[in-house]
Structures are given as C-alpha cells and as structure tokens.
C-alpha cells in the first residue's frame, strides 16, 4: 500500500512509542489521513467532496443521536414529539433543522462527489472497488434518508412511505405479501414507523463501516487526479497532511457557510409544507412528492405509462428506477476508454454535459405534478439517461480519439503554470 | 458480454420510453387536456410584508398581541392551537400574571378527573396547558360544522406555501363568484354550504369569512384602526409566530454563526494559501 517515498510514522514521545508497539492506532491515522499518505499535487476543488461527505455524515449522526433522545416513534405522538423538539427542547429547533437540512447538504456534496467521479473517470481500473463501494454507500444513504423522512409522521411522511413501499407491490405474484411483510401491516402504521426508526438509527453506522472500506480501497492505488495520469515520481505527490488537510479545512468552511445560510435563514426552503400537517390516512395530498434528492429517480419511476405486452407499466417503472442506479455498478466495464479524465476526451465530454443537463431536467420533472407535458419530457429525458450509459458510452469509448495526455502530473502542473 | 446485455437493456428501456412519449404526445395533441376552473381562477397569495421577513426579521410584539386578540375573539370559536401552551404567550410580552389570567379565563376548559368521585370532569386552564379549541374530538367538530373539520392552527402558517401571505390573502379574499367564471365553467357554481375564495386551492371552502367588517375586534389602545386588512395582517403574523416561535433566536444565532464562519473560513483560506505557497499546483 502507498508509495515507497511515503513518510514513515516515527513517534518521538515515549508514550506514543509504547502505544505504537502495542496498538498502532496513531500510525494507522498517520498513514490514512496524515503525512503518511502521498496524494497527487494537482487535485482541484472537486476533490474536497469526499471529506465533506464524511463531515456531513458526522453532523447527521451527532444531531440524529440527540434527536433520538427526544423523539417518540409512535404513530400517536411522533408528530407532536417533533413539535416538542422544535418548541420545548433547549436548542431543539437548531438540532432538528440541522438534521433536516443536513440531509440535503449530505446529498448535495455526495452528488458533487459522484459528478467528480463520472467526469474524471475515477471509476476506472484500478479503482473499481472504490466506485462500487461508493455506490453501496449511496444506496444505503437513500434508504436511510427515505426512512428518516417518514419519522416526523406528517402527510408527506405517510404518503411517501405508502408510495415507496407500494413499489414492492408491483412485483408479480409475491408483491403484495412482501409489501405487507415489510410494513408489518396493510398500510404504513405504528409497526412500520417503529421499524423505520430502528433501521434509520442503524444504517448510518453501516454507512460509516462501508466508508472505511471505501477509503481502504482508495488507499491501495492512491487518489486519482484531474489529468487521470497515474502518479510516477515523488515530485507528483504531496503528503496529505498538511497540504490537503489545509485545503479541506477551507472547503469545510465554505460547506458550513452554505449549510448555515440554509439552516438559519431558509430552514423550510427544501422541505414540503404538507409535512407540517399530521399524517392522515383518510386524506391524500394533491401531489405526493419525495424530497428533492429523489426527484430524478422519481421521474424515471413515473415515466413508464404504457404496458409492455404482459408487463404492467408500474412494474416497468419500478424496474427502471432500480436499474437507473444499479447500472452505475457496471460503469467501469461499460466505459472501456483507457483515458480517465474528461479533459482529454472530447467526444465523451459533450455527451457528459448532455447527461448532466438531462439529470437536472429529470429532477425538475420529478418534482412537478404527474401531468403533461412533464410526463413526456421525463420520458425523453429518461430515454437519454439509459441510452447514455448503456449504449452511447460503450460506443464513444470505442470510436473516440483522445487528446494527447501529459507525460506526468508534474509536467501538467508546470505547463499550466507556464501558460 | 456485459456490454451486449447493457445494450439490449438500454435499447429496451430507451425504446419503450420513446414509444410511450410518442403515444402520450399524440394523445396530448389530439385531445389537449381541458383547462380546469382551478387553473383558470386560483390566485397566488398577495404580496404583503411582515416585520419578520428577511434574514434580520423580528416579530412586532404589539402586532402579535393584536393578532392573539383576533385569534381569541374570532378564530378560537372553531380552531384550536394545540401545539402552543398558554405559558408561551409570555413571548408576546404578557406578564406571568397576565398569562395566568388568560389561561384561567379561557372559554374552553381542560378535560380532567374529578378528584372526589373519579368521574370525567373539566377544570380551568393553567399556563402549562395547551390552547384547546372548542371541540373535544373530530366527530364533535365535524358534527358542528356541516361535516367540515376546522384544522388546528398551530402550524397552519408553515403547512401552506408562503404561509403568512396565504392566510392574509385568504382572510381578505372572500368575494362573490365572478360572473366570468360561471360563464366559462357553468358547472363550477359554488355549492350552497361553501364559500368562494380564489386563494383557496379548490376555490370553495367551508369556512365562511371570519372577518367581515372593520372594527369587529376592538384593539386596546384603538391604534392602529382595526380595519379588516389590519386584523387579517395581525392574525397572520400571530399565526406565523405560533408556527415558528424560535424565529428570532434562529436569526440571531445564524448571524453570529455566519460571522464566526466567515472569519474562520478566511483564516483557513490564508493557511491553505501559505502552506501551498512553495508548491506549484
């Protein structure tokens, strides 16, 4: 692991020497995020978002543990207990708004982290495992966020839970028994609320575990970089500490400023007003929409409106929605171009930006009512989404003539300076 | 092999989506959806400014007290405020003794148990009690209101888009159904038991106009004049306070946090630059 020129951990303090020979935990940290980890010197700000995602998870876990001390997972009192937190618990409003907006901030930084990976080809050999584990984290995050949104037991909580668990009902033959089994009843109720709370508390720690694997897998080949050219000499790298700890410190500051503006001055901007109405199984909201970070996938789910032979449209939508995420697991083998970075891939780059616009359109349609012309637009946008990954990308990697790569990272840096 | 399977799946999903879009598009062009009466006549809330708008907004205590008076004398006839306790009213500037008196004088007593017989009874409200509406349960509320349920108002200002402006617009928006509406949509006549209001999502609501004339509530010092407009604005402000009582604390904390973060981030930026000073990147 790591490069031969990596700095060695040499404890000076006798206590640290004693500890190092018995439990080398400080050595482990030194090699993971200290001076013992050599990192390419040319990383841009897009490489900040891994650390920021970790910070967002830490904020969610800390605020979440405090919320759990005051929240009551019971259908009869859950809504009131959230209001109790907002009104009577000391700084409860801060903790709860922090947790709700923290979830949005978590998704913002993770989406930027994924964006970075897609553009700079971070998923390619030898970093496939890093990419695959990252997708596992993303799936776990989605499950956690979905179950967390159910806990306040407002109208959107209840109806969101009903729609999403209803997806399992689309599975032929066994769908309805599975849905009933998952919910512990025929509709979301106390049993569902309790198990969602239990899992919502558990999954973040599973995420933390997979993050350790994600970073472990990253440290085997070392970090990628904007040129996509592998590290060749010591000149190409700097020690993680102090170079990237300093840069991440600045990035963390900017992240917290954006977070604070959202939390203190627009805490309900990203939420839905209907979730301030207590859950009512007898009254369906006019438009059931999930939180903004699910909108692109929700648009794909709803884009299927026509049955295909014996397959009902609803089942197609469910399959497509899961496929839209699962296909990312195949990405390292769909994109066969030996060049990683989008900077040196003129054809790939054009389709990549089309994809980004496409996903933004899907997101917009997912938040809009399920009516024309939004359905038509999401159908075309979803068609491009699948075509991009499953058809266009493999062809582009075959026919594209990449631009010449720099000889080394240092070369790229120095020639950029010269210009 | 992976790429071949991917190609087949991709062709299937993309192809079927394009077919669906074409079918949907053809249907849309052949038979454009009829415009609904809501789409034609529903109006967005009026523009109205409050003292608590913006990042430095604060509540106007005198306005909140007037708004509370409107709630007490008008809205509380049907609507509860079940998340707000009488003691919270001290935030509006009432003294502890005044709050005690407001609670004790509240028309709706609190359910309790007779200490002598153990039978169900009621008692006068205490400052620790939540502000109850007049109905003991939903069935009673519906029975008294032609099967409509007057919602609890604690969170009404946060459970509607642009809540305070919405409440203000709704209260001042009652009017006769426009002739143009009936001409365009003859079937959309407001039913006997409902009331037309273009700010309500489906244009007809069960609640009759609660504020009907200037001077319906007498403000303690007669200033400002209790016009319909003023009363509506005051009660909207009060209901926003009821939904978001920690707003001032939030704004104040936020300002401090932002100043700290800007300084800290500035320092972090300078240390980043100084550490990297000798490294081209």
């Amino acid at each position: 692991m790591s490069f031969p020129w990596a700095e060695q951990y040499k404890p000076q303090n006798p206590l640290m020497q004693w500890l190092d020979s018995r439990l080398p935990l400080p050595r482990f940290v030194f090699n993971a995020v200290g001076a013992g980890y050599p990192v390419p010197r040319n990383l841009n700000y897009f490489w900040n978002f891994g650390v920021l995602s970790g910070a967002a998870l830490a904020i969610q876990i800390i605020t979440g543990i405090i919320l759990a001390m005051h929240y009551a997972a019971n259908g009869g009192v859950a809504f009131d207990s959230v209001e109790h937190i907002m009104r009577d618990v000391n700084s409860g409003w801060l903790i709860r708004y922090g947790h709700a907006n923290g979830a949005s901030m978590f998704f913002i930084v993770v989406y930027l982290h994924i964006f970075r990976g897609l553009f700079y080809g971070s998923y390619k050999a030898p970093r496939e495992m890093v990419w695959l584990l990252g997708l596992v984290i993303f799936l776990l995050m989605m499950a956690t966020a979905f179950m967390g949104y159910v806990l306040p037991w407002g109208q959107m909580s209840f109806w969101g839970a009903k729609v999403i668990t209803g997806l399992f009902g689309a599975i032929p033959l066994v769908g309805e028994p599975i849905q009933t089994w998952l919910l512990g009843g025929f509709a979301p109720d106390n049993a569902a609320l309790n198990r969602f709370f239990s899992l919502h508390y558990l999954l973040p720690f599973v995420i933390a575990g997979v993050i350790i694997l994600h970073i472990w897998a990253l440290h085997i080949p070392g970090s990628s970089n904007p040129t996509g050219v592998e590290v060749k000499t010591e000149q190409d790298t700097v020690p993680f500490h102090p170079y990237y700890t300093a840069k991440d410190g600045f990035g963390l500051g900017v992240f917290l400023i954006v977070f604070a503006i959202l939390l203190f001055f627009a805490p309900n901007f990203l939420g839905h007003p209907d979730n301030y109405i207590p859950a009512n199984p007898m009254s369906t909201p006019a438009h059931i929409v999930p939180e903004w970070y699910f909108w692109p996938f929700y648009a794909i789910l709803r884009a299927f409106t026509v049955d295909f032979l014996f397959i009902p449209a609803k089942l197609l939508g469910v399959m497509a929605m899961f496929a839209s995420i699962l296909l990312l697991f195949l990405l390292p083998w769909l994109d066969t171009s030996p060049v990683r970075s989008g900077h040196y891939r003129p054809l790939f780059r054009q389709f990549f930006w089309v994809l980004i616009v496409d996903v933004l359109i899907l997101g917009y349609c997912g938040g809009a009512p399920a009516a024309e012309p939004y359905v038509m637009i999401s159908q075309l946008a979803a068609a491009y989404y699948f075509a991009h990954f499953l058809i266009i990308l493999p062809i582009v990697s075959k026919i594209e003539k990449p631009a010449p790569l720099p000889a080394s990272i240092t070369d790229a840096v120095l020639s950029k300076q010269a210009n | 092999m992976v790429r071949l399977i991917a190609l087949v799946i991709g062709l299937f999903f993309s192809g079927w989506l394009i077919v669906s879009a074409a079918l949907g598009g053809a249907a849309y062009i052949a038979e454009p959806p009829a415009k609904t009466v809501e789409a034609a006549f529903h109006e967005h809330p009026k523009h109205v400014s409050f003292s608590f708008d913006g990042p430095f907004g604060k509540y106007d205590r005198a306005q909140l007290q007037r708004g509370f008076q409107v709630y007490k004398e008008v809205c509380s006839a049907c609507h509860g405020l079940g998340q707000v306790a009488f003691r919270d009213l001290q935030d509006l500037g009432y003294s502890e003794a005044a709050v005690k008196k407001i609670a004790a004088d509240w028309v709706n007593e609190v359910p309790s148990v007779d200490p002598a017989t153990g039978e169900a009874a009621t008692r006068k409200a205490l400052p620790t009690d939540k502000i109850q509406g007049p109905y003991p349960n939903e069935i009673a509320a519906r029975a008294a209101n032609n099967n409509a349920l007057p919602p609890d108002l604690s969170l009404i200002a946060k459970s509607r888009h642009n809540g305070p402006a919405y409440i203000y617009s709704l209260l001042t928006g009652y009017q006769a159904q426009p002739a143009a509406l009936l001409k365009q949509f003859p079937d959309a006549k407001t039913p006997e038991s409902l009331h037309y209001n273009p700010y309500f999502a489906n244009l007809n609501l069960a609640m009759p106009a609660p504020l009907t004339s200037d001077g319906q509530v007498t403000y303690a010092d007669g200033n400002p004049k209790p016009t319909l407009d003023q009363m509506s604005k005051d009660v909207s402000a009060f209901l926003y306070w009821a939904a978001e009582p920690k707003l001032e604390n939030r704004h104040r904390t936020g300002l401090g946090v932002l100043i700290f973060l800007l300084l800290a981030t500035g320092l972090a930026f300078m240390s980043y630059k100084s550490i990297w000073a000798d490294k081209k990147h």
Side-chain angles (χ1 to χ4, degrees):
Chain A
M1 173 168 165
S2 194
F3 301 104
W5 56 84
E7 270 181 58
Q8 292 301 308
Y9 178 65
K10 290 194 200 71
Q12 303 297 323
N13 187 310
L15 179 68
M16 297 307 272
Q17 288 171 348
W18 182 89
L19 184 62
D20 188 47
S21 56
R22 285 158 180 82
L23 177 72
L25 190 63
R27 175 181 295 272
F28 177 77
V29 173
F30 181 91
N31 287 334
V33 290
Y37 179 47
V39 188
R41 62 194 282 185
N42 61 335
L43 303 189
N44 60 29
Y45 282 114
F46 277 112
W47 266 259
N48 280 65
F49 291 100
V51 164
L52 294 182
S53 307
L57 177 68
I59 290 170
Q60 288 308 87
I61 288 181
I62 293 165
T63 51
I65 287 173
I66 299 169
L67 284 176
M69 294 172 186
H70 302 282
Y71 169 78
N74 178 298
V77 292
F79 186 89
D80 289 346
S81 78
V82 171
E83 278 306 309
H84 160 70
I85 291 169
M86 292 296 287
R87 292 160 191 269
D88 297 331
V89 172
N90 292 331
S91 298
W93 60 270
L94 174 64
I95 302 293
R96 193 240 165 182
Y97 275 155
H99 196 71
N101 287 292
S104 285
M105 291 302 294
F106 197 175
F107 274 95
I108 290 171
V109 292
V110 162
Y111 279 136
L112 287 167
H113 193 53
I114 295 173
F115 169 91
R116 196 284 319 272
L118 287 173
F119 183 77
Y120 290 106
S122 304
Y123 47 83
K124 293 187 182 183
R127 295 184 186 80
E128 300 98 319
M129 252 349 250
V130 188
W131 174 255
L132 300 181
L133 288 165
L135 289 173
V136 171
I137 295 170
F138 180 50
L139 285 175
L140 287 169
M141 267 179 73
M142 294 177 94
T144 310
F146 159 66
M147 286 189 274
Y149 193 57
V150 176
L151 302 184
W153 211 234
Q155 272 290 69
M156 277 301 158
S157 300
F158 178 88
W159 290 95
K162 193 159 167 119
V163 169
I164 301 299
T165 57
L167 300 182
F168 292 92
I171 302 169
L173 302 175
V174 292
E176 273 187 42
I178 287 181
Q179 186 189 349
T180 309
W181 177 71
L182 285 173
L183 284 173
F186 298 108
D189 205 344
N190 216 27
L193 182 60
N194 265 293
R195 65 189 58 180
F196 280 13
F197 180 54
S198 170
L199 292 172
H200 183 72
Y201 205 112
L202 167 72
L203 289 185
F205 298 97
V206 179
I207 292 176
V210 184
I211 286 177
I212 291 174
L213 300 182
H214 185 66
I215 298 173
W216 187 6
L218 172 70
H219 279 54
I220 303 298
S223 300
S224 180
N225 70 87
T227 65
V229 176
E230 287 294 326
V231 168
K232 291 185 175 128
T233 61
E234 185 171 1
Q235 269 204 312
D236 291 344
T237 67
V238 291
F240 189 86
H241 179 73
Y243 288 95
Y244 285 108
T245 40
K247 192 174 183 180
D248 284 334
F250 170 58
L252 186 64
V254 175
F255 167 83
L256 290 175
I257 288 171
V258 176
F259 187 13
I261 290 172
L262 199 55
L263 195 173
F264 292 106
F265 302 109
N268 293 307
F269 175 67
L270 294 170
H272 196 293
D274 276 17
N275 228 25
Y276 281 113
I277 303 171
N280 181 356
M282 309 302 281
S283 149
T284 316
H287 305 295
I288 302 175
V289 284
E291 290 277 83
W292 68 266
Y293 36 78
F294 292 136
W295 285 355
F297 306 103
Y298 196 55
I300 292 176
L301 171 75
R302 294 191 302 184
F304 287 82
T305 51
V306 184
D307 295 352
F308 183 78
L309 305 178
F310 54 89
I311 311 174
K314 185 184 174 190
L315 178 59
L316 279 174
V318 173
M319 291 191 324
M321 186 181 72
F322 284 110
S324 69
I325 302 166
L326 295 180
L327 63 82
L328 296 173
F329 281 90
L330 300 179
L331 195 52
W333 298 278
L334 293 174
D335 179 1
T336 51
S337 168
V339 177
R340 294 195 183 88
S341 171
H343 277 309
Y344 305 101
R345 302 186 60 191
L347 194 55
F348 164 86
R349 200 161 58 219
Q350 290 171 24
F351 285 108
F352 175 83
W353 287 114
V354 175
L355 175 74
I356 298 303
V357 173
D358 185 66
V359 170
L360 293 176
I361 292 172
L362 277 174
Y364 181 80
C365 291
E372 296 294 4
Y374 302 114
V375 176
M376 233 185 315
I377 298 169
S378 36
Q379 283 165 336
L380 297 175
Y384 181 78
Y385 181 91
F386 287 106
H388 176 89
F389 286 108
L390 299 174
I391 305 169
I392 296 171
L393 211 47
I395 296 173
V396 164
S397 351
K398 282 262 181 313
I399 63 171
E400 179 178 53
K401 191 175 172 297
L405 292 174
S408 73
I409 291 171
T410 310
D411 257 25
V413 169
L414 296 180
S415 69
K416 197 177 85 184
Q417 296 281 328
N419 290 338
Chain B
M1 192 61 192
V2 172
R3 286 179 288 280
L4 192 68
I5 296 168
L7 181 73
V8 172
I9 296 173
L11 284 173
F12 171 69
F13 276 141
S14 301
W16 196 241
L17 280 163
I18 289 167
V19 170
S20 310
L23 290 173
Y28 185 64
I29 291 162
E31 210 177 320
K35 200 169 189 197
T36 60
V37 61
E38 289 90 353
F41 286 90
H42 178 254
E43 284 179 46
H44 288 289
K46 302 175 188 175
H47 287 282
V48 51
S49 60
F50 289 100
S51 64
F52 48 80
D53 293 340
F56 305 110
K58 281 189 166 63
Y59 288 120
D60 172 351
R61 293 280 175 300
Q63 182 177 44
L64 295 188
Q65 291 200 8
R66 296 196 299 272
F68 172 63
Q69 200 188 341
V70 176
Y71 166 73
K72 186 176 132 186
E73 292 180 22
V74 183
C75 318
S76 76
C78 301
H79 298 276
L81 209 56
Q83 303 287 356
V84 182
F86 288 103
R87 62 177 156 77
D88 296 332
L89 294 172
Q90 282 188 36
D91 279 3
L92 306 192
Y94 294 111
S95 69
E96 203 178 330
V99 166
K100 236 176 213 169
K101 188 164 180 330
I102 291 171
D105 293 347
W106 200 252
V107 266
N108 309 314
E109 294 206 326
V110 179
S112 75
V113 171
D114 188 311
T117 65
E119 282 177 15
T122 59
R123 60 164 171 80
K124 285 190 180 309
L126 296 168
T128 47
D129 287 316
K130 300 287 167 70
I131 301 177
Q132 298 298 329
Y135 308 112
N137 53 50
E138 185 180 331
I139 298 170
R142 285 190 187 277
N145 289 286
N146 205 4
N147 203 31
L149 177 68
D152 186 275
L153 294 184
S154 314
L155 284 163
I156 202 81
K158 284 205 294 193
S159 60
R160 300 290 183 276
H161 280 291
N162 199 358
Y166 169 80
I167 297 166
Y168 167 78
S169 308
L170 193 78
L171 291 175
T172 55
Y174 283 91
Q175 53 191 264
Q177 213 170 11
L181 185 151
L182 289 173
K183 207 170 143 205
Q184 202 180 338
F185 302 96
D187 297 340
K189 190 169 165 34
T190 301
E192 200 61 36
S193 56
L194 300 182
H195 307 86
Y196 182 79
N197 192 322
Y199 298 97
F200 193 66
N202 65 12
L203 306 180
N204 301 303
L205 78 164
M207 176 170 76
L211 297 170
T212 49
S213 58
D214 294 351
Q216 192 172 339
V217 172
T218 312
Y219 283 157
D221 53 1
N223 188 29
K225 286 224 159 18
T227 58
L228 185 83
D229 188 80
Q230 186 65 41
M231 290 186 295
S232 306
K233 213 177 267 180
D234 292 346
V235 78
S236 305
F238 168 73
L239 288 175
Y240 194 62
W241 168 82
E244 189 70 8
K246 307 292 182 189
L247 171 130
E248 292 185 350
N249 198 350
R250 172 157 64 75
H251 284 177
R252 202 167 48 240
T253 313
L255 188 64
V257 167
L258 268 188
I259 291 171
F260 168 79
L261 282 176
L262 285 170
L263 287 173
T265 307
L267 288 174
F269 183 72
M270 289 193 287
S271 80
Y272 159 52
K273 282 292 163 197
S274 97
I275 284 170
W276 281 82
D278 62 336
K279 259 300 178 233
K280 293 201 172 84
H281 63 286

